[in-house]
Amino acid sequence: MTKTIWIAVANRATARIFTADSPLGALDEIETLIHPAGRAPEQSLVTDKPGRTYDRAGTGRHADSDTAQHDHEAAVFAAEIAACLAKGRETDRFGTLIVAAPPAFLGELRKHLDAQTQNLVTLELDKDLAHLGARELRAYLPERLVRHEA
């Protein structure tokens, strides 16, 4: 297993993957994933109004929208990120994974990570750090990055 550490920072629209060769080392950005629909306004994501339903009893009528389109887009992007991370794990490009994302998106991302990739996660941060550069991100992380014990 490789000793390389990957740091994945993401939000609904952007995911960036950084690498560090040592627990005290600097970060290098190796990949960026963009999901423009994550920033799009709700009305541009749907082409029609939601369907209307009637209450079983009474005369109530309301829009039928169980899942917001933004939630769907977040799930699609989280699955894309998880697939990218799984591929990196399968090709032995990293042995430790650190993940940072806003709380709701971090939860969505967890749902899509396979068990083997999830087992390599040594640190999760529930913050949106996707806008930070490598130097700023490194300053935000612990001085010594914890490696996964094989």
Side-chain angles (χ1 to χ4, degrees), residues 18 21 30 37 40 42 50 67 93-94 97 101 116 119 141:
F18 296 85
D21 292 328
I30 58 170
E42 185 81 25
T67 314
R93 292 183 62 198
F94 68 92
L97 179 61
Q116 297 92 335
N119 286 338
L141 297 171

Side-chain angles (χ1 to χ4, degrees), residues 12-14 33-41 44-45 70 73 77:
R12 290 175 173 245
T14 305
L33 303 169
I34 304 292
H35 189 69
R39 281 201 186 120
S44 70
L45 295 175
H70 272 285
E73 290 299 332
F77 192 42

Side-chain angles (χ1 to χ4, degrees), residues 30-104:
I30 58 170
E31 191 154 355
T32 301
L33 303 169
I34 304 292
H35 189 69
R39 281 201 186 120
E42 185 81 25
Q43 57 269 34
S44 70
L45 295 175
V46 289
T47 58
D48 202 0
K49 290 182 180 178
R52 309 284 293 175
T53 60
Y54 291 91
D55 290 336
R56 289 179 132 189
T59 58
R61 187 175 154 184
H62 52 87
D64 183 23
S65 61
D66 292 339
T67 314
Q69 190 63 26
H70 272 285
D71 292 340
H72 171 74
E73 290 299 332
V76 167
F77 192 42
E80 182 182 341
I81 295 165
C84 178
L85 295 173
K87 184 177 178 183
R89 178 192 49 79
E90 291 165 359
T91 57
D92 205 30
R93 292 183 62 198
F94 68 92
T96 299
L97 179 61
I98 296 170
V99 180

